Amino acid sequence: MGPISNSSHQSHQKSRNFTFFEFQFVVTDFAHLSPQTIFQLYQKRGNMENFIKEMKTGFFADKTDSPSFLANKVRLALSFIAYNIIHLMKQLTFPQEQKTTVIDTIRFQLFHIAGKVTEHARQIQIRLSSTNVYNTLFWEVLTRIQRLNL
């Protein structure tokens, strides 16, 4: 009878000047896979769990407070659509160093901007605050959105 579990470990040096190590252990039943493959699989799983957590916290996908199953289903579907739109927006329009930004940060940097909506001569205008700390990022993303050929 073969082994029931396979234990893999990985270590890497955290600092150049000190000899501190961080050890990571994974206990699994993938006895036929190499330790490197096992760690790659579990790292991808960890990334997926982070995406799910962002979906639940950033888009309120865990909020199912309606007694109606259909209402909860629609709310969850809208959360998935919003997540995918924001994710696509990040990939197409954000600067490279901002592409890994989570929704809470995006909401704070791009959507929480003081402004005033005015109507003048049959035109609706949005006047944004000129003292926004993330003004450069906002205009860069907006310019990239306008350049998209959809």
Side-chain angles (χ1 to χ4, degrees), residues 113-131:
I113 299 174
K116 184 177 181 181
V117 178
T118 60
E119 184 177 356
H120 180 69
R122 295 185 183 172
Q123 289 185 341
I124 297 176
Q125 296 180 343
I126 302 173
R127 299 182 185 273
L128 300 176
S129 171
S130 61
T131 59

Side-chain angles (χ1 to χ4, degrees), residues 90-91 93-102 105-106 109 136-138 140-141 144:
K90 286 193 308 187
Q91 298 308 311
T93 64
F94 275 39
Q96 189 63 39
E97 61 275 3
Q98 298 283 337
K99 288 185 188 274
T100 58
T101 307
V102 296
T105 306
I106 293 170
Q109 291 179 350
T136 305
L137 176 64
F138 176 83
E140 183 177 355
V141 170
R144 289 179 181 195

Side-chain angles (χ1 to χ4, degrees), residues 48-129:
M48 185 54 64
E49 288 179 7
N50 288 338
F51 294 144
I52 292 168
K53 184 170 103 176
E54 181 182 15
M55 176 76 185
K56 287 170 65 176
T57 60
F59 295 93
F60 310 106
D62 59 344
K63 188 172 182 176
T64 54
D65 55 356
S66 175
S68 166
F69 178 78
L70 182 60
N72 288 330
K73 182 178 174 181
V74 169
R75 173 180 254 164
L76 185 61
L78 290 173
S79 294
F80 277 114
I81 291 168
Y83 176 83
N84 285 317
I85 289 171
I86 294 295
H87 186 72
L88 183 63
M89 183 179 93
K90 286 193 308 187
Q91 298 308 311
L92 294 177
T93 64
F94 275 39
Q96 189 63 39
E97 61 275 3
Q98 298 283 337
K99 288 185 188 274
T100 58
T101 307
V102 296
I103 185 59
D104 290 333
T105 306
I106 293 170
R107 190 179 289 126
F108 179 74
Q109 291 179 350
L110 297 181
F111 302 143
H112 284 193
I113 299 174
K116 184 177 181 181
V117 178
T118 60
E119 184 177 356
H120 180 69
R122 295 185 183 172
Q123 289 185 341
I124 297 176
Q125 296 180 343
I126 302 173
R127 299 182 185 273
L128 300 176
S129 171

Side-chain angles (χ1 to χ4, degrees), residues 3-9 26-35 38:
I4 296 175
S5 67
N6 180 18
S7 176
S8 298
H9 70 279
V26 175
V27 178
T28 180
D29 59 354
F30 292 132
H32 62 283
L33 297 177
S34 71
I38 291 171

Side-chain angles (χ1 to χ4, degrees), residues 2 13-14 16 19 25 30 43 45 52 69 101 109 112 134 149:
Q13 198 168 355
K14 294 282 275 189
R16 292 182 195 170
T19 56
F25 294 91
F30 292 132
Q43 284 174 341
R45 178 181 175 192
I52 292 168
F69 178 78
T101 307
Q109 291 179 350
H112 284 193
Y134 302 103
N149 293 323

